[in-house]
């Protein structure tokens, strides 16, 4: 195991009274790392939008397929995963290092509970490395300039930037497109961006009710239509076929039945920086 953390960094205080998206997502996936405030918001949102559990599972499945494709089809060996969420099964480094043990992964999240679990769960293969940065996507420079990022990632070689289920927490007034540009501009040519985003296009009444529940709890969760998401995330990049689609429709590994669009309500895509 070879992982990087700042041992002298003070542990941020975890506010258990305020819900956090990473812990709500963990609860929705059936995890155990959440508190009463998280469960209260999640249960209210699930009552309004019962298929949110399907959305969460499909997002994780998309992550696995996208990472596998990046490693095996185009040879990516470096990942910057922002909005990591709490460690669970088949995290980015686990999928990547299963295919190529030498892969390096830097994770970033703004939930202190993720940091509390990072040292124990984000363990690397002997050939590769992992690191964790306590930072917010809305401050991309803090992620790019972090010692862990600079030490692990070689920005002269392609990097896969992973923004899964996180851009929908960045409202328009926080300039999400500018955040993405800042990150992508620092990546060398031949790098990739993988992103997913909630939409209400296929199930407007239920998803909008769930979004209101989150916003009323202080979580700025907002849906965007496919064309808006595509412009926000992938402008100037070359989308990999099939483009921006529901995550369940992105390079499915089996020909079996898939969830209905109204159950998924999450777009995703992978694009290359020319």
């Amino acid at each position: 195991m070879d992982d990087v953390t700042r041992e002298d960094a003070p542990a941020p205080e975890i506010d258990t009274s305020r819900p956090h998206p990473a812990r709500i997502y963990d609860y929705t996936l059936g995890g155990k790392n959440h508190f009463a405030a998280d469960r209260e918001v999640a249960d209210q949102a699930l009552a309004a939008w019962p298929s949110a559990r399907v959305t969460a599972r499909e997002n994780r499945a998309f992550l696995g397929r996208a990472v596998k494709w990046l490693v095996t089809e185009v040879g990516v060996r470096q990942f910057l995963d922002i909005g990591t969420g709490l460690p669970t099964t088949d995290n980015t480094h686990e999928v990547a290092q299963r295919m190529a043990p030498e892969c390096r992964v830097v994770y970033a999240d703004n939930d202190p509970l993720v940091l509390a679990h990072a040292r124990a769960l984000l363990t690397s293969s002997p050939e590769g490395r992992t690191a964790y940065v306590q930072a917010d996507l809305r401050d991309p420079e803090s992620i790019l300039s972090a010692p862990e990022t600079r030490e692990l990632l070689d920005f002269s070689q392609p990097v896969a930037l992973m923004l899964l289920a996180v851009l929908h927490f960045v409202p328009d007034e926080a300039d999400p497109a500018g955040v993405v540009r800042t990150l992508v501009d620092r990546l060398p040519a031949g790098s990739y961006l993988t992103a997913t985003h909630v939409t209400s296009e296929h199930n407007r009444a239920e998803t909008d009710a769930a979004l209101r529940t989150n916003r009323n709890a202080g979580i700025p969760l907002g849906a965007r239509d496919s064309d808006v998401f595509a412009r926000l995330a992938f402008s100037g990049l070359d989308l990999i076929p099939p483009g921006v689609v529901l995550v369940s429709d992105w390079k499915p590994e089996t020909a079996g039945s898939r969830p209905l669009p109204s159950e998924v309500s999450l777009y995703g895509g992978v694009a290359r920086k020319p």
Side-chain angles (χ1 to χ4, degrees):
M1 179 187 74
D2 190 356
D3 61 318
V4 176
T5 53
R6 278 179 283 182
E7 298 296 338
D8 58 346
E13 186 172 330
I14 298 171
D15 185 352
T16 63
S17 68
R18 295 171 60 87
H20 190 281
R23 302 193 298 263
I24 292 173
Y25 185 60
D26 178 75
Y27 177 74
T28 304
L29 281 171
K32 300 178 181 178
N33 298 302
H34 40 74
F35 302 104
D38 308 305
R39 294 189 290 273
E40 181 179 355
V41 173
D43 285 339
Q44 290 176 11
L46 285 165
W49 180 23
S51 63
R53 291 192 190 277
V54 176
T55 305
R57 290 196 300 269
E58 291 297 322
N59 184 67
R60 290 300 295 185
F62 169 82
L63 180 150
R65 296 195 306 277
V67 170
K68 181 179 178 181
W69 183 87
L70 288 162
V71 173
T72 61
E73 296 297 324
V74 294
V76 171
R77 295 295 184 267
Q78 304 184 105
F79 293 81
L80 176 57
D81 186 334
I82 304 175
T84 306
L86 284 150
T88 179
T89 57
D90 281 348
N91 299 289
T92 296
H93 75 284
E94 293 170 320
V95 177
Q97 291 178 351
R98 197 177 302 143
M99 308 297 154
E102 70 273 19
C103 285
R104 297 185 172 205
V105 181
V106 173
Y107 293 99
D109 202 283
N110 67 355
D111 182 5
L113 188 61
V114 179
L115 174 62
H117 287 269
R119 288 184 177 88
L121 297 181
L122 299 183
T123 55
S124 173
S125 69
E127 301 90 340
R129 302 184 77 187
T130 61
Y132 179 80
V133 178
Q134 178 76 23
D136 195 304
L137 170 63
R138 292 167 295 184
D139 183 10
E141 287 293 347
S142 69
I143 299 171
L144 293 166
S145 63
E148 298 89 343
T149 305
R150 297 201 309 269
E151 180 177 345
L152 252 70
L153 301 183
D154 176 2
F155 282 88
S156 70
Q157 299 297 319
V159 175
L161 172 63
M162 312 294 288
L163 299 176
L164 272 72
V166 65
L167 287 171
H168 45 235
F169 294 111
V170 184
D172 290 343
E173 55 267 28
D175 189 20
V179 169
V180 173
R181 271 197 314 274
T182 297
L183 292 164
V184 171
D185 283 351
R186 295 283 285 275
L187 303 179
S191 293
Y192 289 82
L193 168 62
T194 301
T196 63
H197 199 295
V198 164
T199 184
S200 59
E201 284 183 281
H202 304 285
N203 192 3
R204 200 166 296 278
E206 290 187 2
T207 51
D208 283 353
L211 299 181
R212 283 194 299 273
T213 295
N214 278 269
R215 288 194 291 267
N216 291 339
I219 298 172
L221 177 58
R224 293 181 173 101
D225 289 353
S226 60
D227 58 337
V228 177
F229 167 50
R231 288 195 303 271
L232 185 164
F234 301 117
S235 291
L237 304 179
D238 297 331
L239 276 163
I240 302 302
V244 173
V245 294
L246 290 168
V247 291
S248 52
D249 293 334
W250 194 89
K251 298 186 184 299
E253 295 179 339
T254 65
S257 62
R258 297 194 287 276
L260 296 171
S262 59
E263 295 176 308
V264 179
S265 295
L266 190 79
Y267 285 118
V270 178
R272 183 181 185 272
K273 181 177 179 179

